[in-house]
Structures are given as C-alpha cells and as structure tokens.
Amino acid sequence: MTLFGRTLGAEEIAGLVFLLMTLVMWIVVWRRDRGATRWFRGWEADRRSRREAELSAEQDDRRPPPASDGPRGPWG
C-alpha cells in the first residue's frame, strides 16, 4: 500500500488501524459521557421543578384565606 508516495508495510498498516480504532473508541466513550451528562442535567432540572412546585403548594396551603369585606379584630 502506498500513502503519500511512501510504501507502508504490514506493521505500519496495523499501527494505523489500531490508532483509528482507538480514536473511534474515544469518540464513542465521549459521546456516552456527554449523553449521561445531558440525562443527569435534565433529571436534576425535573427534580428541582417538582420540588419547587411541592414547596409552593405547601406555602399556598399555609396561607390564610383572603380577608372578606372590611377589617376584622378588636381595632378594626
């Protein structure tokens, strides 16, 4: 096989093949890691939004009902 005008032997071809396989393996690992990071960020955002919704619902339950017409109490 000739590459850039140079004849490559079996060892050099095998070295190039293994180098390309390593590159492909690193790309696959990088994409999986990136996918896992995206999944975790999405999961964390969903968890945070559910927690904030629960907290706001609890705060709404603890608020007193709005006052009716006119003030109430001994000074009102």
Side-chain angles (χ1 to χ4, degrees), residues 11-27:
E11 293 175 356
E12 293 168 328
I13 293 173
L16 286 174
V17 168
F18 286 123
L19 185 65
L20 287 174
M21 286 175 38
T22 304
L23 178 64
V24 168
M25 188 173 62
W26 274 108
I27 289 172

Side-chain angles (χ1 to χ4, degrees), residues 27-73:
I27 289 172
V28 167
V29 169
W30 174 68
R31 289 189 67 190
R32 284 184 182 175
D33 183 57
R34 193 173 61 166
T37 302
R38 278 189 192 148
W39 172 83
F40 181 75
R41 286 181 181 161
W43 175 81
E44 183 69 19
D46 290 343
R47 186 192 65 81
R48 191 175 300 137
S49 65
R50 284 193 310 267
R51 179 67 179 149
E52 288 174 357
E54 289 174 359
L55 289 176
S56 67
E58 287 177 7
Q59 288 177 354
D60 290 343
D61 290 344
R62 286 185 279 174
R63 288 186 184 149
S68 62
D69 300 357
R72 293 185 177 186

